[in-house]
Amino acid sequence: MTGIVFNIQRFSLFDGPGVRTVVFLKGCPLRCVWCHNPEGLSSEMQVMYNSERCIGCGACVEACEKGCHTMKDGFHVLDRKNCISCGECAKVCFSLSLTSQGVQMTVNEVMDTVMRDLNVYRDSGGGLTLSGGEPLMQAEFSSALLKAAKDAGLHTCTETSGFGSSEALSEMAAYTDIFLFDYKLTGDEAHTEYCGAPGTPILHNLGLLDSLGKKVILRCPLIPDINTTKEHMEGIARVALSHPYSVSEIQIEPYHRLGISKAVQLGITPTYEAEVPDKDFVREFADGLRELCKGKVTVKINQ
Amino acid sequence: MYKNINDKLEFTDRFKRVEAGVRARLRPRDPREFTLIEPIPTNGKNPFADVFEQMPDAPYVIALAHAIVRSWLDMPCVIYPDEAVVGITRPTYPIMEHFSWGITFYDDKIDAEHGFESEEAIKTEKARIEALRERMTPLDMSHMHDAGIALLGEEKYKELTATEMYWAGGYQGHTLPNYVTLLTNGLDGMLEIIDKYAAINAKDKETADFYEANRILARGMIAHLEKYAAYAKELAETETDPTQKRYYEEISENCAFVAHNKPKTLYQAVQLAWILSLWDWVDCIGRVDRFFLPFYEYSKEHGDVISVEESITSFMFKIWEGGSHNSTLGGCDPETGKDSTNELSYLFLQVLRNIHDSHPRMVVRITEDTPRELTDLMVKIWSEGMCDPTVVSDKTVIPGLLGLGVTLEDARNYATLGCQEIEIPGKCNTGCEDGSFNLAKIFEIAMLGGKSTVNHDYQLGPVTKPFTECETFEEFFDGYVTQLKYFTEIHLYLCRKGQECRAANHAKLLKGLFTDGCLEKGIPHDAGGPIYGYGVIETAGLAATADSMMAIKKFIFDEKKLTKEQLVTMLKANFEGFERERQMLLNASPKFGNDNNEVDELAVRILDIYWTEIGKYETGRGGVYTGACSLLLGGITYGETMGALPDGCFAKEPLGNTMGPRPGFDKNGLTAMLNSVSKLPMEKGVGGTTLNVILTTKMLATPELRRSVSDTLRSFLANGGCMAQITTANKEDLIDAKCHPERHGDLTVRVGGYSIQFVQMDGVSQDEIISRYV
């Protein structure tokens, strides 16, 4: 069995306890307008183009059968109209200006990399974190990978939007120590508007994890003009407090703009752009939330 | 005590004033990497020339000892307001200095600035020096060059040196004196020790002179302390401020006491230790948290003139201002093998933290039982933007030292010195270092089949198949090994000649008085006196060589993507017109530092061959050579001698410092880089193998993050890693990294939920990061 992976990030300190390796799986059912990992959205292989790295060698022009690449006055021009994401151009682009996003990998292949930091996991209490994209989109592969990690004695985290099949989620829950579970917006209407799907199924899945008694860290992106409201703050507190068997911590994740340039490199026009929220505002938001949670849930800021 | 990272040690008001004084005096000397400073004008005086002139018939070693003493005693005493420990460094004499190779001449520095007012005066002085030169330097470096010429012939030796493949003949000659011997015996006690061994060994004139020279030095140190005692007394008599008057009286009494007696209190111990450090060129000091411990405990129990914190602070301020290279904390007990971290280890770190400067440099030895509190405090200090302390692994170092024949007890007592080299305090002369060698230059020579890299028509090494004629990778690799062994033999022969110079010149004469073995045997420090005389060779260019080997293996021999001729043409052209091919070499071939087995194995193979080879040769001091890899600037200076290489680097690019990858070549995160480095045969490079690790202050922002970072490094040190030296980066560094990615390849930043190599990001994202950075 293989899964499509777009990145394996070693020495990751921010996605679960200790030092971790994060495996990013490609494909996401949601379309959050602020997405910071746009290369994880599509389930297909994609070509990313970073013009700053282009040396104008023209190798891609010859490699592409569809005529997507041309040279104009010594400069490379990419027209994605006929692109079938075959990745032939990336294979000849040695300057890494054109790169393939997404590789088919077996569980063993992924584990080969993951297991290289075994000593550090053991010494730091770290392990494997599955992220994406959305791991639930490749549920079978995700479960197999998590199981392999558990069999190897690793601590496991799954970072998920919560949007997906409940059966798949409970399967993954059997091999997941901590869920990093997104809670993005309060209210179905807003959720559909900004994330492309309703939030109710997500809450249903959170309820499932609560009933299973799984440890959950709620991750809440703070997006200017979209969810920086008092209502959403109350929504977060309500959701956290109503899942007492699972949620023990909330991590506020302030919006950052790093997804924008990646989207542009993928040929996607970003539909949302804003300034980074003010530090004091974020702190006040977290303080407000802390007050609402009455000390029952830890509130942290992931700056 | 002192363990809590949230409680910063506060200097007392008195020491805040001393601190302000040190900072004001240091400010004009930044950046500084100097041991010697010039606090006072020398007025054209040179005690070395004077003494040798006045003692035309004295044996060399006797005249030298007198000259060293004179160089200290001729200098006026300086006591800064509020100080407790006193004694300032000597000026650097403009014309000649007793340093690494013995007396060294600086003819070009005789000028008006140094007190020679007229052209005529300069001319007279030069003539005087010239007349004395032969007598003052029994063997100069021409001894080594002559030996090279005798061995290879003039033409070949000239060609060889033109390649800039190595440095031979010794560098600063750092060693750690035995502070314990001084502190447990006092200076009068040292005189007794000298007499005791002189009575046994001084059977010939030369040996008797050696002992007499040591007596002169010990008496000189006594006189130096007495001079300070008298001066402080004099100051006290005229001082009107009652507090300062008392300080002077305390200083006077303290100096007078330790001029002869062995110290009892910590204040006495730090004053005596400082005088040795001064006379030792403010070189490296060793395990300060161990040898001061009995005095610390005594003063805590019985009280002292100043508090224990003030004593340690006084000492630290002195080595800070003097530019001390290194001292060592933590690590195991020599007898029990158990971790011996104590209150003083924390106290030293807390004082270091408050000083918050590039000096004094400190190293923490990590054992499996190093308390969490100690590593937490250490990482906290990094998070505040400091690069100290460096960490070093007992688990890796001790077995390596045993392999060199060091006893278990001595191996457990190792400390670091110089640019993070390793030795046994008070028992070693490792040459530190005897030479350095660039493995990547050998790669270039092997490419040419043994021809010189400067003059391509000149056959410098043995004839091996040039790269263009090799049928297989192994054939080329064999040629590399042949060249490596050939030049190693020559290099180590020259290093040994350098050792002969040092021995003949009694380089760093004072070291012998405080190094076990010298007095016992009556043999000077550079002539084989110390108990351990193994030698250290610094190794440069490993990553560049392994990466270049990997690239030719892959693209030429395995995949045949390029022909040999194509590659040679590109390298000759420094890749001009071949940018696409360069990008292939750069990005499509594995690089050392990414936990890739194939290229890492090449690195292991090359280093193992080299370090095994040097281990076959003996030093002139007794003992074999061992490898080291802790060159800080060497990666840059050696890089400047290089042409373009098959790893995709242009000519003159830095080779990468220390044990790590070439700058920017590690792209798989810190753990991958650490894994690559731990595969290397550290047990054959016991001279010190440090690794530069760069972290941003943000990655160390919370206790959880700091714990993860310290766990990662402890894991590295417990699993084959030897040393790690941390650099913390701030916003200015990020801005510089954006403009000069080649200098900051290893800079890792936190982006949203994960960390990434900063230089891998596009410009827009980099700006984002910079704008968010505090």
Side-chain angles (χ1 to χ4, degrees):
Chain A
M1 192 196 350
T2 62
I4 182 162
V5 175
F6 70 90
N7 193 8
I8 299 180
Q9 182 86 37
R10 295 169 66 176
F11 190 57
S12 196
L13 303 178
F14 309 98
D15 294 293
V19 177
R20 316 191 67 86
T21 296
V22 183
V23 177
F24 293 87
L25 299 172
K26 216 160 157 7
C28 183
L30 300 182
R31 287 296 178 269
C32 308
V33 293
W34 61 82
C35 181
H36 67 266
N37 271 344
E39 72 275 40
L41 290 173
S42 162
S43 296
E44 305 293 323
M45 212 275 288
Q46 281 170 295
V47 171
M48 216 159 156
Y49 173 52
N50 176 354
S51 60
E52 285 175 25
R53 297 192 76 118
C54 180
I55 57 166
C57 69
C60 50
V61 179
E62 282 170 43
C64 182
E65 288 182 5
K66 299 290 178 182
C68 297
H69 305 273
T70 46
M71 294 298 292
K72 258 191 201 135
D73 308 325
F75 288 97
H76 168 244
V77 180
L78 170 64
D79 180 358
R80 290 181 184 264
K81 200 168 65 223
N82 296 324
C83 178
I84 53 166
S85 294
C86 64
E88 289 301 316
C89 56
K91 278 188 200 158
V92 298
C93 183
F94 296 125
S95 67
L96 309 182
S97 170
L98 293 156
T99 50
S100 281
Q101 298 297 315
V103 199
Q104 289 289 343
M105 293 180 86
T106 65
V107 169
N108 283 342
E109 281 168 345
V110 175
M111 285 304 288
D112 274 351
T113 302
V114 172
M115 290 305 284
R116 283 173 172 263
D117 289 337
L118 187 61
N119 287 327
V120 183
Y121 305 149
R122 202 177 41 221
D123 292 342
S124 70
L128 166 73
T129 297
L130 273 198
S131 183
E134 171 50 59
L136 282 165
M137 285 280 276
Q138 304 185 44
E140 211 183 328
F141 180 74
S142 296
S143 292
L145 188 52
L146 288 166
K147 181 173 186 305
K150 283 319 296 178
D151 287 347
L154 302 191
H155 182 277
T156 56
C157 289
T158 299
E159 187 178 27
T160 176
S161 69
F163 195 89
S165 134
S166 300
E167 290 72 33
L169 186 66
S170 42
E171 171 83 11
M172 278 159 63
Y175 310 114
T176 299
D177 294 311
I178 301 177
F179 278 93
L180 308 170
F181 198 102
D182 288 359
Y183 181 71
K184 303 174 203 274
L185 277 164
T186 303
D188 261 357
E189 203 178 313
H191 209 285
T192 309
E193 184 183 350
Y194 292 112
C195 300
T200 310
I202 295 174
L203 288 176
H204 175 78
N205 275 338
L206 182 58
L208 172 72
L209 294 180
D210 197 57
S211 67
L212 292 171
K214 296 303 295 188
K215 188 173 180 196
V216 169
I217 293 170
L218 220 51
R219 288 195 145 176
C220 304
L222 200 57
I223 314 296
D225 305 323
I226 293 182
N227 68 4
T228 47
T229 61
K230 181 91 174 112
E231 291 71 42
H232 182 53
M233 189 201 286
E234 287 163 1
I236 298 172
R238 198 163 50 241
V239 167
L241 294 173
S242 60
H243 296 88
Y245 299 107
S246 52
V247 179
S248 58
E249 183 175 326
I250 297 169
Q251 294 181 355
I252 303 287
E253 307 203 293
Y255 168 77
H256 62 74
R257 295 162 51 93
L258 298 165
I260 296 172
S261 67
K262 287 199 273 185
V264 172
Q265 290 178 23
L266 288 159
I268 303 168
T269 313
T271 56
Y272 173 84
E273 204 177 328
E275 289 304 312
V276 174
D278 178 66
K279 275 206 169 119
D280 290 333
F281 173 78
V282 176
R283 204 173 305 125
E284 280 164 29
F285 193 94
D287 288 345
L289 194 54
R290 215 166 272 137
E291 204 162 297
L292 291 173
C293 291
K294 298 169 189 133
K296 289 177 181 158
V297 179
T298 313
V299 179
K300 286 184 180 166
I301 301 169
N302 269 354
Q303 200 75 47
Chain B
M1 276 231 290
Y2 321 119
K3 285 183 188 173
N4 192 335
I5 61 167
N6 299 315
D7 289 344
K8 261 196 162 181
L9 182 90
E10 275 272 312
F11 293 143
T12 55
D13 288 344
R14 173 181 180 185
F15 280 87
K16 278 183 185 152
R17 293 192 296 272
V18 180
E19 181 194 8
V22 176
R23 277 192 208 285
R25 291 192 293 277
L26 285 176
R27 201 167 299 128
R29 297 195 284 115
D30 209 36
R32 74 204 134 87
E33 188 52 64
F34 306 108
T35 320
L36 306 171
I37 59 170
E38 291 180 74
I40 55 159
T42 54
N43 299 327
K45 240 184 178 180
N46 193 294
F48 295 95
D50 292 347
V51 169
F52 275 86
E53 221 163 29
Q54 288 158 13
M55 305 177 74
D57 302 319
Y60 180 76
V61 70
I62 301 281
L64 180 59
H66 278 299
I68 292 170
V69 171
R70 176 85 67 88
S71 76
W72 286 103
L73 296 185
D74 270 7
M75 198 182 60
C77 293
V78 176
I79 299 177
Y80 297 113
D82 298 302
E83 276 196 319
V85 170
V86 297
I88 66 162
T89 48
R90 222 176 43 169
T92 306
Y93 291 100
I95 310 149
M96 66 192 71
E97 193 44 81
H98 180 244
F99 202 45
S100 302
W101 298 285
I103 292 179
T104 311
F105 292 87
Y106 308 106
D107 294 5
D108 55 328
K109 297 218 178 116
I110 305 175
D111 53 27
E113 201 186 310
H114 292 105
F116 298 95
E117 274 160 20
S118 67
E119 279 300 314
E120 197 54 40
I122 291 172
K123 222 173 129 190
T124 314
E125 185 63 11
K126 277 192 173 171
R128 179 169 81 112
I129 301 306
E130 206 43 56
L132 278 168
R133 184 191 291 271
E134 206 170 315
R135 174 158 144 69
M136 294 176 73
T137 307
L139 275 187
D140 65 15
M141 280 319 229
S142 66
H143 172 70
M144 185 181 82
H145 298 307
D146 291 346
I149 291 164
L151 182 72
L152 301 171
E154 192 157 3
E155 191 187 17
K156 194 165 193 172
Y157 185 68
K158 214 173 129 196
E159 290 288 343
L160 176 66
T161 45
T163 63
E164 298 178 72
M165 171 200 301
Y166 61 79
W167 169 256
Y171 184 54
Q172 290 210 340
H174 301 290
T175 68
L176 295 162
N178 201 333
Y179 280 86
V180 178
T181 309
L182 174 64
L183 294 175
T184 49
N185 294 288
L187 285 163
D188 281 354
M190 292 309 297
L191 283 168
E192 284 168 27
I193 293 173
I194 295 167
D195 289 344
K196 177 177 130 191
Y197 288 112
I200 302 167
N201 294 325
K203 301 215 163 71
D204 57 83
K205 172 95 172 55
E206 198 185 336
T207 317
D209 289 344
F210 170 71
Y211 283 108
E212 183 55 23
N214 278 300
R215 276 187 207 103
I216 293 164
L217 291 174
R219 286 189 203 118
M221 289 173 76
I222 290 170
H224 196 203
L225 279 161
E226 283 176 335
K227 189 175 171 190
Y228 264 99
Y231 179 61
K233 199 174 172 199
E234 205 178 292
L235 288 176
E237 277 160 14
T238 53
E239 179 60 54
T240 49
D241 176 73
T243 312
Q244 183 62 54
K245 189 184 178 75
R246 178 165 59 81
Y247 293 163
Y248 286 140
E249 284 162 0
E250 287 164 2
I251 290 166
S252 178
E253 199 177 315
N254 204 42
C255 288
F257 184 83
V258 293
H260 296 278
N261 303 297
K262 56 185 177 189
K264 263 192 270 181
T265 69
L266 187 60
Y267 182 31
Q268 291 163 353
V270 290
Q271 177 64 62
L272 184 57
W274 172 239
I275 287 296
L276 172 52
S277 179
L278 266 183
W279 281 55
D280 187 37
W281 296 263
V282 201
D283 200 344
C284 310
I285 300 170
R287 304 185 74 181
V288 285
D289 61 346
R290 285 188 60 84
F291 65 67
F292 283 136
L293 189 64
F295 306 99
Y296 171 81
E297 281 168 347
Y298 179 91
S299 288
K300 260 183 74 175
E301 201 184 324
H302 302 280
D304 199 347
V305 175
I306 55 174
S307 73
V308 287
E309 286 92 350
E310 286 178 320
S311 282
I312 296 301
T313 304
S314 290
F315 184 71
M316 285 285 274
F317 281 0
K318 280 299 183 189
I319 62 175
W320 173 31
E321 184 167 1
S324 161
H325 279 74
N326 236 313
S327 39
T328 307
L329 303 173
C332 68
D333 181 278
E335 279 163 34
T336 63
K338 294 210 170 90
D339 188 86
S340 66
T341 303
N342 58 55
E343 271 180 27
L344 265 184
S345 324
Y346 294 94
L347 178 53
F348 270 107
L349 279 185
Q350 292 283 16
V351 176
L352 180 79
R353 181 186 184 190
N354 264 13
I355 289 175
H356 196 97
D357 196 359
S358 59
H359 285 77
R361 305 227 53 197
M362 293 214 131
V363 171
V364 172
R365 283 176 46 177
I366 303 292
T367 70
E368 282 174 322
D369 299 316
T370 297
R372 279 275 172 203
E373 290 99 330
L374 190 73
T375 43
D376 284 349
L377 176 59
M378 203 174 78
V379 183
K380 177 69 180 171
I381 293 173
W382 296 337
S383 78
E384 290 165 354
M386 280 185 69
C387 300
D388 282 279
T390 291
V391 286
V392 53
S393 165
D394 274 18
K395 197 176 167 187
T396 304
V397 170
I398 293 169
L401 287 167
L402 294 177
L404 282 173
V406 174
T407 66
L408 180 62
E409 199 172 307
D410 284 346
R412 283 170 171 169
N413 200 32
Y414 78 89
T416 62
L417 70 167
C419 309
Q420 325 292 28
E421 282 89 0
I422 284 166
E423 69 163 44
I424 318 302
K427 294 192 175 184
C428 266
N429 182 357
T430 65
C432 193
E433 51 280 356
D434 285 312
S436 65
F437 194 78
N438 180 4
L439 295 171
K441 185 56 73 182
I442 300 296
F443 179 88
E444 288 190 323
I445 288 173
M447 289 281 282
L448 298 167
K451 295 253 173 40
S452 160
T453 48
V454 179
N455 175 359
H456 289 194
D457 295 326
Y458 191 85
Q459 188 70 37
L460 187 62
V463 179
T464 50
K465 260 194 188 174
F467 169 66
T468 46
E469 288 168 31
C470 290
E471 299 293 326
T472 63
F473 173 72
E474 286 305 320
E475 205 174 1
F476 175 71
F477 194 90
D478 286 347
Y480 176 83
V481 174
T482 304
Q483 301 296 345
L484 182 64
K485 291 187 173 177
Y486 174 77
F487 288 108
T488 298
E489 184 176 2
I490 295 172
H491 178 230
L492 295 181
Y493 175 76
L494 296 171
C495 287
R496 186 154 177 162
K497 292 291 154 189
Q499 291 157 14
E500 287 171 10
C501 294
R502 289 177 171 210
N505 297 342
H506 290 276
K508 297 201 164 180
L509 181 63
L510 182 94
K511 299 268 192 190
L513 177 53
F514 297 101
T515 305
D516 295 9
C518 296
L519 294 180
E520 287 87 338
K521 292 186 248 176
I523 300 174
H525 191 248
D526 274 294
I531 293 179
Y532 301 110
Y534 64 88
V536 169
I537 302 296
E538 284 284 357
T539 311
L542 173 66
T545 309
D547 291 348
S548 294
M549 287 282 188
M550 184 67 234
I552 60 167
K553 180 173 186 298
K554 181 178 161 84
F555 295 124
I556 308 290
F557 296 107
D558 292 354
E559 298 175 4
K560 301 191 166 43
K561 282 242 172 72
L562 292 172
T563 67
K564 290 167 224 157
E565 291 69 25
Q566 279 173 323
L567 181 65
V568 169
T569 310
M570 283 171 214
L571 297 180
K572 262 189 194 149
N574 196 18
F575 295 114
E576 212 176 310
F578 299 99
E579 185 55 19
R580 179 162 191 267
E581 290 79 2
R582 189 181 84 90
Q583 292 290 338
M584 179 177 85
L585 294 166
L586 206 54
N587 295 319
S589 173
K591 297 283 188 277
F592 178 70
N594 292 288
D595 203 5
N596 173 287
N597 286 342
E598 199 178 0
V599 63
D600 290 355
E601 273 162 23
L602 279 170
V604 170
R605 204 171 148 194
I606 294 160
L607 197 62
D608 193 69
I609 290 169
Y610 179 57
W611 283 355
T612 303
E613 191 62 17
I614 63 173
K616 294 174 187 166
Y617 292 86
E618 282 190 10
T619 70
R621 303 177 295 263
V624 292
Y625 288 95
T626 185
C629 203
S630 59
L631 287 172
L632 301 178
L633 286 170
I636 296 169
T637 48
Y638 275 125
E640 280 164 3
T641 74
M642 299 297 298
L645 282 172
D647 62 1
C649 285
F650 291 114
K652 300 185 193 304
E653 282 195 58
L655 288 172
N657 56 33
T658 64
M659 288 304 273
R662 282 190 94 155
F665 280 14
D666 52 321
K667 296 178 178 178
N668 283 351
L670 179 61
T671 50
M673 199 256 276
L674 297 178
N675 277 3
S676 284
V677 173
S678 356
K679 294 172 196 171
L680 298 170
M682 304 294 190
E683 70 284 0
K684 290 179 182 168
V686 197
T689 46
T690 192
L691 172 70
N692 267 359
V693 174
I694 300 188
L695 301 167
T696 59
T697 42
K698 258 201 169 164
M699 292 182 74
L700 300 166
T702 69
E704 292 85 5
L705 291 173
R706 289 197 292 274
R707 190 47 84 79
S708 291
V709 167
S710 90
D711 287 340
T712 303
L713 291 169
R714 287 183 76 134
S715 193
F716 168 65
L717 297 175
N719 293 287
C722 183
M723 280 188 192
Q725 181 167 292
I726 305 302
T727 305
T728 40
N730 54 30
K731 187 168 180 172
E732 287 66 39
D733 299 323
L734 296 180
I735 293 168
D736 193 54
K738 196 188 167 205
C739 308
H740 304 287
E742 70 282 0
R743 292 184 203 155
H744 297 273
D746 31 12
L747 185 57
T748 305
V749 292
R750 183 182 174 184
V751 179
Y754 55 93
S755 353
I756 187 171
Q757 244 86 33
F758 184 74
V759 296
Q760 301 295 317
M761 306 172 72
D762 63 37
V764 184
S765 305
Q766 288 179 333
D767 286 338
E768 286 292 334
I769 299 279
I770 292 169
S771 69
R772 288 190 302 141
Y773 217 85
V774 191

